[in-house]
Every structure is written in C-alpha cells, then in structure tokens.
Amino acid sequence: MHLSEQEIIRRDNLDKIRDLGIDPYPAELFEVTTHARTIKENFTEGDPVMQDVVLAGRLMMNRVMGKASFGELQDTTGRIQIYVSRDEICPGEDKTLYNDVYKKLLDIGDYIGVRGFVFLTKTGELTVHVKELRLLSKSLRPLPVVKTRKNEATGEDEVYDAFTDPEQRYRQRYVDLIVNPQVRQIFLKRSRIITTMRAFFDAQGWLEVETPILQPVHGGAAARPFKTHHNTLDMPLYLRIANELYLKRLIVGGYDGVYEFGKMFRNEGMDRTHNPEFTSMEIYVAYKDYHWMMEMVETCLEQVAVAVNGNTVVQVGDKAINFAGPYRRISMYEAIEEYTGIDISEMDEAQLREVCKQLHIPVEASMGKGKLIDEIFGEKVEDHLIQPTYITDYPIEMTPLAKKHRSKDGLVERFELFVNGKEIANAYTELNDPIDQRARFEEQLQLAARGDEEAMALDEDFLRALEFGMPPTSGLGIGIDRLTMLMTDQHSIQEVLFFPQMRPEKQG
RNA sequence: GAUUCCGUAGCUCAGCCGGUAGAGCACUUGACUUUUAAUCAAGGGGCCCUGGGUUCGAAUCCCAGCGGAAUCACCA
C-alpha cells in the first residue's frame, strides 16, 4: 500500500497519540448539547445557556499562535470558531494535551468534542472558548482544504482551492460533502422535497407502500430493462422499469390511495438527465380523474417549492419559475398547432410522416402514429414550456394504460407536466376496462412486431386483476431527480444523486 | 455510439517552440495568549494517467489505450 508523505505523518501521529494513552477511536458516546448553527442563531450576551455548551465535529482549520489557538469546528449544521488556550485545557503542570496533542498530533479532518462557553472575540467572531477537549476519531487522509475570503470590494466570498473535479467529487462523495457545504445543501433540499410530499399525501390518508423491484414481466412503461436471474426458481427476473401495474393491483385490492417512492431501472443511455437508476414517486387515488389530479399536483408542488426555497418562485438559471397554481392547460394538438401552425388532429400516419418531413424531423419506419406525434411535440414544443404547463389529451396510440377520452375520439385522458422545457410528471385517468386494456396491450404487441423495442409487454396477471374490477382511478408519476434539479437549480442529474453511476474505478 | 477538450505535488493550477519540474494553499520544524485565506523564518514532498514510437534526450511531439467533462443522438 502506497502512502503519501502526509498519510505517513498522520499514521505516525496516531501512534504517538496511542503512546500517550489516548484512545484515538473511543467507543463511548459523546453527548453534544448544541450545534454550530444553533449557537449562531440564538446567541445573546449573558445567556446562561451559552455558558456551558458541548459540541462535536471535524477540526477544519487551526491557527496556532503560541500558547493559544483558533480552530474551526465543523458539525452537521456548519462551522464555528473555537478558542483553545494552553492553560485552560491544561490547568496543571502537564501541558502535553495542548503542546503535543492539540498543536502537533491533531490534523485537519479529525473529529473532536469540546466543552466550553460562547463569547464574541474583539473582532466580533462568535467563538467557543474551550475548557475541555477530546479526540473522538482520527482522520488518516488529508482533506482538500477549501478556503474562502471575503472580498472587501464586492462583499462576496471568494473560494480558493475548491474541490471541483467532477470525477473525484462523484467517486468520493463523502469528501465532496465534507468540504463543499453547497453540495450538502442540495441533498438537504432533496430530502425536504420528499418529506414534504410524503407529509402531504399522508395528511390525505393515502398509504405509502412498497412493490416488487424484481419483476417477472417488466410492465408499466416503455424502456429496455436490466435482466437478472433467480437461481432457486431458475427463472429470469427484471429490475422494474415502472411500478404502475403493481400499484393498480393494490387499488383493485381496495385501498383508496396508494403511493410509492422508489428506484426504477432503465438500461439505456447516461447523460446529464439520465442515470440507469432513478427515483420516481407514483400515486394512485380511487374515484378521481385527471382533472382532479392536476389540482392536486398544483397544491403539492406549491407546498414543495415553499418548503424548499421559502417561495413559490424558484430561480432556475436565468428564469424565475412560479410553482403557484393554477398552471396553464393546453391539449397536445393545440400545443403543436401553436408552435408549428399545423393542425394534425385529423391526420393519419401517412400525413404525419409528411409533416415530419416538412419540419425536418427524422423518423423511422417502425414508428406508429403516436410515436410520430411525440417526435413532433418533442422537437417543436417542449423547449418552449418554461413555466409549469399541463399538456393534455394524448393520442391513444402513445398511451396503452390510460382511459379513452370521455368526449374526444382517438385521445386518452392523460396529462404531462412540463417545467423549464422538461417533462417532470405524467398522469392519467387510469384505464380500468379490462377488455379495452387487453386490446391496447395487443396493439403494443403489434408495434413490437414492427420493431418498436419500447412497446409495452402484456401482463396477464394484471389483466386478471382488472377483470375483478378496479374503481375509477387517477394515477400520477413524478421524476424526483428532475424535480430536485429544478428546485435546486442544478443542470446535471449527477449533482442531485449521492452516488451517480460511474465506470469502475481503476485500481492503481 | 460520434465530435471536441482535459489528465503534472494532498487541493487548485502554471510549465508543452523537446535538455528528466514550479507557484499558492496543505504538510514538517521553529517563533507568537483574540486570530480569521492569521503572520514570519526555514524545510520536505512528484512512475508529469498507462503503453508504444520519433529522438542523443519526451511532462512537452506522434500513435494506441484507460479515465473524466462538454455537445449531439436514444431514453425519464
């Protein structure tokens, strides 16, 4: 094992600490009474609570000035300065704890616990005056030290030696999280998005459920799956590309509302908006339709935006996006007509091909009517949908799991929510007519026979469930990663996943 | 998968009209009891991504590979 000079020094320090009879990895708990941010938010001069505080965290900076030192302690809430003086932590004759342990044997990144009182230095910095100090865990690798200084002219923090290499940041996310506080913020927001949605659904009495990830038939969406094998049953299994058909089985079973946050797996390309595993939230509510669902989504996303950013307006790049409802609603055909000037509502497959040619949109022979419309929409309309917009009433060919439109022939009751030019949610009035559902699956089989690799597989057990009867139901799916990208103003999915998929690291 | 760019100290980067390496921070030693990118003095640290080629000589030029990023194509 090759060790750098700095790693050797740290291991050497570890040995010296042990030689002094100090356990560098103590087993017992260390009870903290407060956190850095709590102190900064609540400090008032003379407050008795601030006279005795216990904090723990990483030592992230240390300025030794002879018999006294200033360090910075970083806990889960942020950083606070600590003041350590020799004669305070070593009241007797033995000055080892300060002279040797604190000044020489502690390293940046070590976990320490301190007890002391809070005061303001003469430069006005809130500081913990340390009376007791102990080592909680030794760090053996040097952290990249990121320094910031306030620019006097602009008043903004300038960052020096930032830890920025994306490869290292994603592969060693733990380091990224330690030294880049803005990264930790993104994931706090991600968590808040999920907890806000969960609380909203729970308040309505809907049930959070878990459904199979390993599925014998990969239904519910159009995508290439990951395939695996179960040894005992000696059968192929697929990692789910969607959980829709299982959640509907639970509606058949009698629950009024079910939802699941979960990973989906799709064996397709990777780029800044696609990761092989991603998180979706799917919800199904009985006795509702897609109009109701649009209102529900507006209420939910408005709450999420406020919970995450304190405002319904979210700044995404140079655009201010307002999540306060109601959102614009426009049908797919109207949207295409608005942005191309062409009314395709009465066209057949051959006419649509002609339109694609006219608009210079490349198409393939395997594409059916639904796919062609989807291509035109993706090419000509999507990018214009910046503020939250519902696109409604999709052609039946694209959507084998949605109910036929109550009044418009050839369409289904479906909407997708577009924000900043990207789809983030998809919802239907769910198809609950088992005869129609079987016919739709059979149309998909015909598309598959034409060479459409994304055509949906037929699931006999799901059809059996529908034949027992599913109440009228509306269902919704939201891409949590993309929603998080929007809410945190990130333009890469890797920035909102703790551990994005990477090639295996070469050992060297 | 295609195109372009990148890979030098723990971190951020310079060196690339070929002569075996530099800066700042970090690290080591010393000074300093209210500092804050602390300061001052001295010092150590590098298979310059890997392999091959050209050359007396390659971090530097050429080829291939590996890894990464951006853009495009497919998909959520």
Side-chain angles (χ1 to χ4, degrees):
Chain A
M1 184 179 183
H2 173 77
L3 295 177
S4 70
E5 182 199 28
Q6 294 191 36
E7 287 172 305
I8 291 166
I9 289 165
R10 282 174 181 237
R11 276 158 202 259
D12 201 37
N13 288 347
L14 180 74
D15 292 340
K16 287 177 181 158
I17 285 168
R18 284 212 165 98
D19 290 346
L20 286 168
I22 298 168
D23 183 355
Y25 301 105
E28 61 267 32
L29 63 79
F30 184 85
E31 205 155 335
V32 301
T33 63
T34 189
H35 290 92
R37 193 172 62 218
T38 312
I39 291 174
K40 289 184 175 180
E41 285 174 354
N42 298 313
F43 178 78
T44 50
E45 207 89 47
D47 181 350
V49 175
M50 296 292 173
Q51 295 312 303
D52 183 29
V53 296
V54 182
L55 292 155
R58 280 184 198 274
L59 184 67
M60 292 302 284
M61 194 173 284
N62 196 16
R63 298 179 281 273
V64 178
M65 311 168 55
K67 298 181 186 66
S69 305
F70 287 91
E72 281 179 29
L73 188 74
Q74 174 171 302
D75 68 14
T76 191
T77 65
R79 288 193 189 186
I80 190 160
Q81 181 166 268
I82 58 173
Y83 173 76
V84 181
S85 81
R86 188 192 66 184
D87 298 336
E88 292 266 8
I89 67 166
C90 305
E93 286 300 305
D94 182 5
K95 306 297 183 189
T96 309
L97 180 62
Y98 182 78
N99 284 341
D100 295 328
V101 178
Y102 185 79
K103 273 172 70 177
K104 293 182 182 162
L105 302 180
L106 286 192
D107 292 297
I108 302 287
D110 288 355
Y111 271 97
I112 59 170
V114 298
R115 172 188 287 271
F117 63 88
V118 185
F119 75 110
L120 273 174
T121 65
K122 62 185 177 191
T123 51
E125 179 87 13
L126 208 51
T127 303
V128 177
H129 186 123
V130 175
K131 311 276 275 186
E132 292 170 32
L133 178 146
R134 67 172 301 199
L135 176 61
L136 298 179
S137 181
K138 191 89 187 89
S139 164
L140 295 182
R141 284 182 186 254
L143 282 170
V145 175
V146 181
K147 294 199 169 188
T148 56
R149 176 165 68 175
K150 252 207 180 63
N151 184 316
E152 296 300 334
T154 63
E156 287 175 8
D157 282 346
E158 289 181 2
V159 178
Y160 296 80
D161 302 329
F163 180 64
T164 52
D165 179 21
E167 179 178 2
Q168 293 200 62
R169 287 185 47 233
Y170 302 151
R171 285 194 195 282
Q172 301 179 41
R173 182 68 90 182
Y174 35 88
V175 175
D176 194 28
L177 290 166
I178 293 165
V179 303
N180 289 324
Q182 71 282 11
V183 173
R184 203 160 9 167
Q185 271 304 313
I186 290 169
F187 290 101
L188 284 180
K189 287 183 174 181
R190 181 179 173 119
S191 178
R192 193 164 297 147
I193 288 167
I194 292 169
T195 55
T196 303
M197 292 175 77
R198 181 175 280 133
F200 178 76
F201 299 151
D202 288 347
Q204 320 298 316
W206 301 326
L207 189 70
E208 181 164 17
V209 298
E210 293 172 276
T211 64
I213 289 172
L214 291 172
Q215 301 179 347
V217 180
H218 53 280
R224 303 210 309 265
F226 287 93
K227 190 176 179 181
T228 183
H229 184 265
H230 190 281
N231 291 339
T232 300
L233 297 175
D234 189 25
M235 65 183 283
L237 285 171
Y238 301 91
L239 298 187
R240 66 182 175 193
I241 56 174
N243 54 358
E244 172 159 359
L245 303 186
Y246 282 94
L247 290 169
K248 285 182 182 170
R249 283 170 168 98
L250 295 178
I251 295 291
V252 170
Y255 295 109
D256 269 1
V258 291
Y259 70 93
E260 179 174 16
F261 286 91
K263 285 281 180 72
M264 304 300 151
F265 306 85
R266 298 190 183 175
N267 205 341
E268 288 169 343
M270 292 163 58
D271 60 27
R272 67 174 206 281
T273 56
H274 297 87
N275 194 67
E277 57 182 281
F278 64 100
T279 302
S280 87
M281 193 295 301
E282 298 243 343
I283 183 165
Y284 292 81
V285 183
Y287 315 116
K288 306 297 185 188
D289 66 5
Y290 76 143
H291 295 298
W292 173 88
M293 185 65 83
M294 285 187 245
E295 289 176 20
M296 195 277 271
V297 170
E298 285 161 359
T299 311
C300 180
L301 289 186
E302 186 171 330
Q303 286 190 15
V304 168
V306 170
V308 171
N309 291 311
N311 198 311
T312 62
V313 178
V314 176
Q315 193 68 31
V316 180
D318 56 358
K319 297 167 192 118
I321 292 176
N322 190 351
F323 281 95
Y327 306 154
R328 187 183 181 205
R329 301 178 187 187
I330 179 171
S331 79
M332 167 141 272
Y333 287 153
E334 287 164 352
I336 288 175
E337 187 168 0
E338 181 170 322
Y339 290 101
T340 65
I342 301 170
D343 176 7
I344 60 163
S345 60
E346 305 294 323
M347 289 185 181
D348 62 19
E349 190 178 315
Q351 289 171 304
L352 286 168
R353 279 184 189 283
E354 191 51 41
V355 169
C356 286
K357 202 172 163 187
Q358 190 186 326
L359 295 172
H360 308 290
I361 298 167
V363 295
E364 284 164 32
S366 66
M367 289 176 177
K369 188 177 166 186
K371 194 93 177 126
L372 290 168
I373 294 170
D374 197 33
E375 289 292 318
I376 297 170
F377 180 80
E379 198 69 32
K380 295 293 169 189
V381 182
E382 244 179 65
D383 290 346
H384 300 287
L385 307 174
I386 303 303
Q387 295 300 323
T389 305
Y390 290 124
I391 300 295
T392 66
D393 301 343
Y394 284 63
I396 192 166
E397 293 83 354
M398 299 164 70
T399 316
L401 301 172
K403 190 177 274 191
K404 281 177 180 157
H405 197 282
R406 64 194 72 182
S407 60
K408 297 176 189 165
D409 267 359
L411 300 181
V412 292
E413 296 203 351
R414 171 185 185 183
F415 71 81
E416 290 190 312
L417 175 61
F418 286 84
V419 183
N420 200 30
K422 296 264 164 38
E423 180 212 329
I424 67 160
N426 182 22
Y428 314 144
T429 301
E430 300 296 340
L431 176 54
N432 62 344
D433 173 345
I435 309 285
D436 189 7
Q437 183 66 79
R438 182 174 292 278
R440 300 277 199 92
F441 274 138
E442 276 162 5
E443 284 162 25
Q444 289 293 305
L445 293 179
Q446 283 169 22
L447 285 177
R450 269 173 76 169
D452 186 345
E453 288 183 22
E454 292 166 7
M456 208 175 283
L458 188 150
D459 186 330
E460 276 297 342
D461 177 70
F462 173 65
L463 287 170
R464 178 167 60 191
L466 284 192
E467 286 167 8
F468 279 101
M470 184 172 89
T473 297
S474 185
L476 165 86
I478 290 187
I480 295 297
D481 309 294
R482 291 184 174 186
L483 180 62
T484 305
M485 287 166 66
L486 273 174
M487 292 291 175
T488 60
D489 191 15
Q490 295 298 315
H491 68 279
S492 164
I493 197 170
Q494 293 163 309
E495 295 291 349
V496 301
L497 299 172
F498 274 129
F499 305 105
Q501 193 61 50
M502 308 278 287
R503 281 194 172 79
E505 190 172 7
K506 237 173 74 176
Q507 298 298 314

